[in-house]
Amino acid sequence: MGPRMTRCVLPGGVVVVLLALWGLAVQAGKAPLMPSPWQVVVSLGQLAMDGRLVRFTVASLFRVTWGLLWAGVIAIPLGIWLGWSPRAERALGPVLQLLRPISSLAWTPLAILWCGVGDLSAIFIIFMACFGPLMVNTLLGVRKVLSVHLNAGRNFGLSTLGLMRRVVWPSLLPQLLTSLRQTLGVAWMVVVMAEMMAVNSGLGFLILDARNAGNRYDLVVAGMVLIGAVGLGLDALLRSMERIPALSWGFPAPAPSSSTSRFRWMGRN
């Protein structure tokens, strides 16, 4: 069995075993309130037939996309600035460190007060969950840029903007992609909680509504399966982006044996 086949067969085998154990536990009466795997499959079919599966999934993806996008637009430039300028970090660092430990769900009452019940409040909660991790990881990535690369860029006459574009950004990009992958997982978890409190659609709302509608635990578990499946797909998408050479390369540590190889990353010989 080849490596590629092994990567497919082993996870599939684990899933089959877990489904079998799940079904046996339900049949034995060890989990009386737990629906069987077949009941969950039937519920997923019902959600697909009445359109809620696509509608609620798209609603959750919409909120996660905009929350993560706005967090990236603000947190990444801010993290680059704070990582590049110690004076800026000394000025803004205490305030940002004070806000960062506050749970994003603690902002829910203010989000509803400011934005009302709807998409905007959920997007704001997701934004608050994503902002801190993105900013901190960006800041740390800028600080990890090797000084030899910065000094080489200055020797070639690069301005501060040129150093950012030719040195800092390519070195930061691999770590930034990893940070985005982690932050997306956080956003996908937070959107479920936000939809249980601030909106009336989405996968989180589906779970809450199913529980309140006569304890439809088959729909509750179906919603959980959808959340896991979509999260797995999003993570696989970002992992595939990490393998793109133009997005995943960084600056390796310079080889001391060759003085010219240190500058090949700048297109110099």
Side-chain angles (χ1 to χ4, degrees):
M1 185 181 296
R4 183 175 298 179
M5 184 65 68
T6 301
R7 287 196 298 267
C8 297
V9 170
L10 287 180
V14 172
V15 170
V16 170
V17 170
L18 291 176
L19 288 175
L21 293 175
W22 176 5
L24 290 174
V26 173
Q27 281 188 342
K30 301 298 183 182
L33 295 179
M34 188 70 176
S36 67
W38 178 248
Q39 289 176 310
V40 174
V41 171
V42 172
S43 299
L44 287 171
Q46 292 175 351
L47 291 173
M49 291 293 293
D50 62 24
R52 283 183 294 172
L53 189 150
V54 174
R55 188 170 69 253
F56 285 173
T57 302
V58 170
S60 295
L61 287 173
F62 172 83
R63 293 163 187 140
V64 167
T65 300
W66 279 105
L68 184 61
L69 180 63
W70 279 111
V73 166
I74 298 176
I76 292 175
L78 181 61
I80 293 176
W81 181 42
L82 296 178
W84 183 261
S85 172
R87 182 177 300 177
E89 187 195 4
R90 285 194 297 269
L92 297 179
V95 176
L96 295 172
Q97 292 300 327
L98 177 67
L99 294 175
R100 194 167 63 88
I102 300 175
S103 170
S104 59
L105 298 179
W107 292 91
T108 302
L110 291 178
I112 295 175
L113 178 64
W114 293 337
C115 307
V117 176
D119 288 337
L120 196 57
S121 57
I123 290 171
F124 176 80
I125 295 170
I126 296 167
F127 167 85
M128 296 305 299
C130 298
F131 178 83
L134 275 179
M135 183 202 63
V136 171
N137 283 310
T138 303
L139 185 153
L140 295 177
V142 172
R143 287 185 174 177
K144 288 181 180 179
V145 179
L146 295 178
S147 58
V148 65
H149 294 151
L150 296 174
N151 292 332
R154 293 188 181 99
N155 290 337
F156 278 104
L158 291 180
S159 63
T160 300
L161 184 60
L163 287 172
M164 289 289 180
R165 185 173 62 88
R166 301 289 298 275
V167 182
V168 175
W169 181 252
S171 181
L172 172 65
L173 195 53
Q175 179 169 333
L176 189 57
L177 285 175
T178 302
S179 175
L180 283 171
R181 181 182 169 189
Q182 296 170 345
T183 307
L184 179 59
V186 173
W188 192 242
M189 288 188 291
V190 169
V191 72
V192 176
M193 298 301 298
E195 289 173 345
M196 288 182 176
M197 294 180 286
V199 295
N200 56 3
S201 64
L203 296 177
F205 173 79
L206 170 66
I207 293 175
L208 183 66
D209 185 59
R211 189 204 66 179
N212 294 333
N215 292 331
R216 288 291 308 274
Y217 287 104
D218 54 335
L219 288 177
V220 170
V221 178
M224 294 169 62
V225 170
L226 281 173
I227 291 168
V230 175
L232 181 64
L234 293 174
D235 185 72
L237 177 63
L238 284 183
R239 278 192 287 118
S240 65
M241 291 179 62
E242 289 178 349
R243 291 192 289 268
I244 299 176
L247 298 177
S248 61
W249 71 284
F251 296 136
S257 59
S258 174
S259 59
T260 58
S261 64
R262 302 183 182 186
F263 307 109
R264 289 176 183 167
W265 52 270
M266 294 181 62
R268 308 275 182 158
N269 295 320

